[in-house]
Amino acid sequence: MSNMTLKKIAWVVDSTAYINPHLKNHSDVYEIPLNIHFGQQQFVDGVDLTSEQLYERIRNGKDPVKTSQPAAGEFAEIYTKLSKEYESVIAIHVSNSLSGTISSSMSGAEIAEVQMECVDSLSLSAGITGLVEKGLELQAQGLPFDEIASLLRKEVTKFRNYILIGNLTQLYKGGRLSSAQFYLGSLLKIKPVIQINNKGELQELDKVRSEKKAVQYLINKVVESAEQEGAKLVYIMHANALDKAESLRDAILLQSPNIKIEIGEISTVLAVHAGEDTLAVLWYVP
């Protein structure tokens, strides 16, 4: 195939990303799944395991559940295929502080000898979604792929997020919470609000006494950002808690009717850590 007929940019994400309908139907967006392990059994995220099955297994499971990044070889395979169809690849991945996915992806690109830019989202879920959407806009403006990647790395700094963890036990078992934090939180029935900080690490931001107060906390943060920073599009992500997500949306729209809100489900690989009933608000400021 001559270079003239190659498509410009392939977009690659991992399965921590929220794949909204636009990205799902986009012919240039590719998703590489992470793996979920129950004891000795391994499942491919979103392929071998539905979210219903996952929650069921976590509720009834005796086996510890873990996640792992795709192997470099899996990335190499897809990058080799993409290099035959595209001039270049932009890969946007889950925060390097939370997963080894980026190093697998970069090793895979080296093996495949593909022209590739890797962007650390310093986040996950809708944080990745927002970057791909922005990248597609920049591509439509005709910018070259390396310039798009460097603009996206600047965009990363405009990310805002507040996460209400549904199940502290899961976060603790997944090694994402210290035993002291876990002990205090579960003892006092405190709802911790967690944030992915600007280094891409999870940090506890605040402790709220009740779920009602915690939800109000999320509402206030979104409304404040809409008023002070001009936030326009907010993603509400949930783990098997659509009703809660919808009532959160309605409460935000009562105060900030001009915000566009997209509701989506947290991918199974993230639900392993955050647990059922997790609610999060995530957005980029203009």
Side-chain angles (χ1 to χ4, degrees):
M1 195 188 276
S2 79
N3 255 6
M4 291 310 290
T5 53
L6 287 183
K7 291 192 276 184
K8 287 258 184 250
I9 301 172
W11 296 86
V12 172
V13 298
D14 56 72
S15 63
T16 66
Y18 161 51
I19 308 294
N20 64 6
H22 176 222
L23 300 187
K24 204 183 202 73
N25 299 322
H26 200 295
S27 58
D28 299 330
V29 176
Y30 299 86
E31 178 192 8
I32 305 220
L34 276 76
N35 306 301
I36 296 173
H37 308 262
F38 284 95
Q40 297 303 304
Q41 284 182 296
Q42 176 174 317
F43 298 89
V44 179
D45 182 25
V47 178
D48 303 334
L49 199 64
T50 66
S51 50
E52 286 76 29
Q53 290 169 323
L54 173 87
Y55 294 125
E56 191 59 35
R57 288 189 76 126
I58 286 176
R59 276 185 229 120
N60 306 331
K62 314 285 170 277
D63 282 328
V65 52
K66 292 193 168 70
T67 57
S68 65
Q69 70 260 23
E74 290 172 59
F75 277 109
E77 207 173 301
I78 190 161
Y79 287 147
T80 302
K81 212 170 79 192
L82 292 177
S83 68
K84 294 180 175 67
E85 292 175 54
Y86 294 89
E87 288 174 19
S88 54
V89 175
I90 296 180
I92 304 179
H93 289 306
V94 56
S95 169
N96 196 39
S97 304
L98 299 174
S99 166
T101 302
I102 284 180
S103 59
S104 280
S105 180
M106 289 174 80
S107 306
E110 269 173 41
I111 297 165
E113 296 179 347
V114 66
Q115 180 162 266
M116 181 259 217
E117 285 280 344
C118 193
V119 176
D120 184 345
S121 71
L122 293 180
S123 66
L124 35 75
S125 188
I128 297 172
T129 319
L131 289 176
V132 179
E133 296 278 19
K134 177 75 177 181
L136 290 168
E137 278 171 35
L138 294 169
Q139 183 181 359
Q141 293 166 26
L143 293 176
F145 96 110
D146 47 352
E147 201 174 311
I148 293 173
S150 72
L151 286 169
L152 291 180
R153 292 187 187 105
K154 291 195 180 87
E155 189 71 15
V156 163
T157 61
K158 303 176 185 177
F159 184 59
R160 308 282 180 269
N161 69 95
Y162 298 90
I163 305 161
L164 184 55
I165 295 295
N167 186 332
L168 282 181
T169 313
Q170 280 307 112
L171 203 62
Y172 174 57
K173 278 186 188 164
R176 299 290 189 270
L177 197 65
S178 75
S179 50
Q181 287 170 312
F182 171 66
Y183 178 71
L184 283 170
S186 48
L187 191 71
L188 303 170
K189 289 282 176 273
I190 277 170
K191 292 275 173 193
V193 178
I194 284 181
Q195 188 172 53
I196 306 159
N197 65 19
N198 58 12
K199 297 192 186 88
E201 305 156 342
L202 285 178
Q203 64 176 36
E204 195 177 336
L205 193 66
D206 236 319
K207 291 188 177 69
V208 191
R209 273 289 176 175
S210 68
E211 174 142 348
K212 196 177 162 197
K213 284 194 173 130
V215 170
Q216 189 57 51
Y217 184 100
L218 300 186
I219 297 166
N220 295 347
K221 290 295 182 188
V222 173
V223 172
E224 260 168 47
S225 180
E227 289 169 0
Q228 292 163 24
E229 302 179 301
K232 288 182 177 60
L233 167 66
V234 172
Y235 297 95
I236 297 178
M237 302 304 297
H238 68 91
N240 208 21
L242 182 59
D243 293 355
K244 289 180 181 180
E246 287 175 341
S247 60
L248 175 57
R249 173 196 60 200
D250 297 345
I252 291 169
L253 290 175
L254 269 181
Q255 292 187 58
S256 298
N258 298 326
I259 284 190
K260 187 169 174 272
I261 295 180
E262 209 176 305
I263 292 179
E265 190 158 1
I266 288 170
S267 69
T268 42
V269 72
L270 294 181
V272 164
H273 298 289
E276 211 165 350
D277 271 349
T278 291
L279 263 187
V281 286
L282 314 102
W283 68 95
Y284 286 88
V285 295

